[in-house]
Amino acid sequence: MDSLPEPTEFAWLADLQKSQSFTTCLADHPAKTTDFGCDGYTASLSDYHELLQLTAPDDHCGIVYVRGHFQNTPDAILARAQRPDVSGLKGSFGVQIHPESVFELGEKQAQGFVNLRWPYIQYDLRNKAAFHDGNSGSYEEISFVKDGTLFQIARIKWGRGGSLSDFDSANTLERETVKLKSGGKIQFGCPCSNGGPPIADSFQLRFEGNQLSCISELYQRRLDVQIFVNNLPQELGPPQSSRASHEVQVPDLSRTHDIDLYVGKPTIIVSTYALRDDAPINQPGLSELDGKYFEDIENYLGISSTSLNMTDRLWTALCSTNYESSEAVEFCVVGRCVEQILGVSSVPVPDDPPTITSASNILSSAAGETSTQGAPEDAEKEVPIALVRNIMTSQYVDVQSSFWQIRLLVKVHEFIRTRYFEPDLLETFCPLDEMRAAYLAKLRRHIRAILIWLIETDLRPRELLLPLKIERGPEISKYHISPARIQHCREQRESVNVDRSYNQACFASLAVWYAMRYCPRAITEDLKSKILLPQLKKAYTSVEKRRTRGQEDPTPKNDVLQWFHLCCLLLILREPVGQDSDGYAAAGLKRDDMTKSQLKFQKYVTRLKTKQNEPYSLEHEEMDRLVLLGEELDLQTLQTPFTASLAEARAKQTRARIEERERTTKFNPGPKAWKTSRITSSGPWELSFLNHHSYLWTTKGENVRSSRDRCFDFVLADYTFMTSWDRADFNVVGTWWDLEPLSVFSATILDLKTEGNYYYNLVPDPG
């Protein structure tokens, strides 16, 4: 190579950890995968920034993923997340330094997130001991998702000094060679096949137009990969074969690359990964990297001082004037959870699948784009969003989890709306009030889109619920789904253990009322009249069947939940809809019949025993949390007798029971069935994160800080929380990715920061 190619400028990437938009992670805490995404397309990295998983929306199962070729068990995933893939054979499939290279990565100099969403890492780069020449360098990388494509941009600089140091131009002809490895063995999968070994499949590998494509025969999906070094594409085809396409049983995308490092000059490596439908490849891979595509990237990522997407500024502005580090960590937890909901657990389910070129417009609330921030809030034009339980192990919809995620978004909206912001150093470039207005609009659009999916989807209590599109009319055509996959997924779905101890559809009505009560600007007239109103009769009759026919062995949680469900329906119907002030008549319901049903379920709750003789467990925590939620539902405004007093009495009993909870002194025999096929652990309650949160929710005064600190014993490096340390429950590791515990805790943190008694601090948004 006679001359040095001029790379696309990524000067902003140099020492990015020093920018206003960067938040460092908790490096001394345990780690799981770092998950991020946009518009339903997500990626997951190890703690060492190695690529472990990609996901994309799917018409048949809601989600389809590509992973390294390893067991799909939580323990196998966690092991790869916590340990570096030094050999390159443990399941990562991104770009990394080859084990045979004379270079190696040294100590981590920085690791964290850009605007609490996009992961960034910086390493020392060094020669191996036998090749040490006195020089040193840096290796830094940022990952983000844009237009349905994962981008990983690495900036390597070799010489003497830091990432931003200047060098004598006379040294620019001096160069070294670093050997890189890309790709690896991969597998395709979906929520139905998750949890076991890689499933049997056939694959076709194509090499054309500087692009490597791997097509799954079973899933009829294609993974496209391209790598550029200083703008120039790298050859990804197999060196031992001249065939442009061939079939394999286990696809291996591995390839080595010898890259020149010029002393004093940065080397830019851009790798792209896109999981798409197996449609004909209309356009070959790029012959060179188009710098125009990245012209607005600093605004998209929120790095530019003028960007409305620099939400790290927003979260920092929420802190007190002279805040302690613990307060900053708390807002990192809340902000990280919100970004996880907006970018990772949200799966858009449009009626018509969008093209990749328009994918960035699907979810303006999650994408960080500013072009649609001034658009009118029209429910008919919203793309419904389903919230999955987590993106790694339980890639299906749990409506209980969805409710707690929505509740957090509503509380965040209220909290940000009511704060006073002191101008910061970047105020002249981008006023915080403008950023606040844009962020609140995103939250409202997102809340509305989630509610649309919950309202219009048939939430059957005993079936696995996948993030699929709403079927408005004839059944969706499955012409593009292979018969083999339909058969495989049908068999696997039947084996998934779904909690059938309660009617999950009841959480949907709770979510609707909660948003109507505390974030009314998210509820448009179109949503109420054209989407919500036609579904209210169905929501009532589905629970009325339980009252008239009875239910075998009902659980206390289900009794309370269905009582709250009917209370919320009464509160919803009390609200005017358009020109019709009588919501009952508009929905085709009778007030007297609904009141009678509500009072019947109220009797069930009245009869529940007030004392528990069993050791405190997961089921008790879920029940207590649900009862305490009654304090936020505005039940005192209902006209039915004793409703508010019963909710208040049950909440008071729950608070007393939590306060009087004793430390575990004897161990129980092991997991037990909870009146259903659901198996839960009976280990010491102290092992569960949410059990400690219960005390944080109910305590006051000087005990708040110590209770908060006990919760933070469970915090992970990425500001999420492990749900439990109970290894007697083999399912516990898989719940580490759940967003429900993090959403519950984050909402309580916001309550504690609001003046007054935090458990009833929310006030109606005047609109």
Side-chain angles (χ1 to χ4, degrees), residues 413-703:
H413 183 279
E414 172 69 8
F415 189 83
I416 295 177
R417 182 185 68 85
T418 57
R419 295 303 98 181
Y420 170 74
F421 288 158
E422 289 283 353
D424 61 9
L425 296 177
L426 299 179
E427 185 72 14
T428 57
F429 298 98
C430 180
L432 278 169
D433 283 337
E434 290 185 11
M435 184 180 293
R436 184 214 316 251
Y439 201 68
L440 292 179
K442 291 179 183 181
L443 290 175
R444 289 194 296 271
R445 285 194 294 269
H446 214 89
I447 292 169
R448 186 164 51 251
I450 297 167
L451 293 179
I452 291 172
W453 190 86
L454 287 176
I455 292 168
E456 293 202 322
T457 301
D458 187 7
L459 306 176
R460 298 178 182 178
R462 295 182 175 272
E463 292 187 8
L464 180 66
L465 190 60
L466 296 170
L468 297 174
K469 64 181 62 176
I470 301 166
E471 298 184 6
R472 299 185 178 95
E475 185 177 1
I476 299 169
S477 173
K478 296 181 173 61
Y479 68 92
H480 59 293
I481 306 297
S482 66
R485 181 184 174 188
I486 293 175
Q487 177 66 23
H488 166 78
C489 291
R490 182 185 298 115
E491 295 172 354
Q492 294 298 318
R493 290 176 189 178
E494 294 175 355
S495 64
V496 177
N497 187 21
V498 180
D499 185 4
R500 299 178 175 87
S501 64
Y502 66 95
N503 186 349
Q504 63 177 341
C506 294
F507 275 109
S509 59
L510 269 66
V512 172
W513 170 243
Y514 203 92
M516 291 178 67
R517 175 69 176 125
Y518 297 115
C519 191
R521 282 184 287 185
I523 311 298
T524 63
E525 286 301 320
D526 280 346
L527 188 150
K528 287 197 290 186
S529 62
K530 299 180 180 179
I531 296 176
L532 175 60
L533 195 62
Q535 299 294 330
L536 289 177
K537 187 172 184 178
K538 180 180 178 182
Y540 166 67
T541 55
S542 63
V543 178
E544 174 64 8
K545 294 176 182 178
R546 148 73 163 96
R547 187 183 76 85
T548 56
R549 297 186 307 178
Q551 176 180 331
E552 296 181 2
D553 200 14
T555 63
K557 175 182 174 180
N558 197 48
D559 286 336
V560 174
L561 183 59
Q562 295 192 107
W563 177 48
F564 282 169
H565 165 72
L566 285 168
C567 289
C568 288
L569 286 182
L570 292 175
L571 291 165
I572 291 169
L573 288 166
R574 188 185 61 184
E575 299 290 316
V577 179
Q579 302 297 322
D580 196 337
S581 59
D582 185 357
Y584 293 91
L589 293 168
K590 295 181 179 180
R591 185 193 301 266
D592 292 342
D593 290 345
M594 291 194 64
T595 302
K596 186 182 299 184
S597 296
Q598 188 262 354
L599 291 174
K600 182 67 175 180
F601 279 99
Q602 189 166 297
K603 289 183 180 180
Y604 297 152
V605 177
T606 304
R607 296 168 184 167
L608 295 178
K609 61 181 181 179
T610 58
K611 295 183 179 180
Q612 62 183 50
N613 299 320
E614 306 141 341
Y616 201 82
S617 66
L618 172 65
E619 294 73 33
H620 296 121
E621 186 280 327
E622 290 182 352
M623 177 70 170
D624 289 347
R625 185 167 15 121
L626 184 60
V627 170
L628 291 174
L629 179 67
E631 297 176 317
E632 300 180 13
L633 297 180
D634 208 22
L635 300 183
Q636 69 275 10
T637 62
L638 283 174
Q639 301 300 317
T640 52
F642 307 114
T643 296
S645 59
L646 176 60
E648 182 180 351
R650 287 301 185 186
K652 185 177 180 180
Q653 294 163 358
T654 297
R655 290 175 178 278
R657 182 168 59 247
I658 293 173
E659 185 176 356
E660 297 167 359
R661 186 174 53 189
E662 296 180 353
R663 289 282 182 179
T664 302
T665 57
K666 60 176 66 174
F667 292 108
N668 299 301
K672 60 181 179 180
W674 179 256
K675 297 185 179 181
T676 63
S677 59
R678 179 187 182 191
I679 303 297
T680 58
S681 172
S682 57
W685 65 263
E686 292 90 344
L687 298 178
S688 172
F689 163 66
L690 283 176
N691 288 341
H692 291 278
H693 164 267
S694 297
Y695 191 68
L696 179 65
W697 191 340
T698 57
T699 194
K700 298 179 182 179
E702 60 184 12
N703 293 324

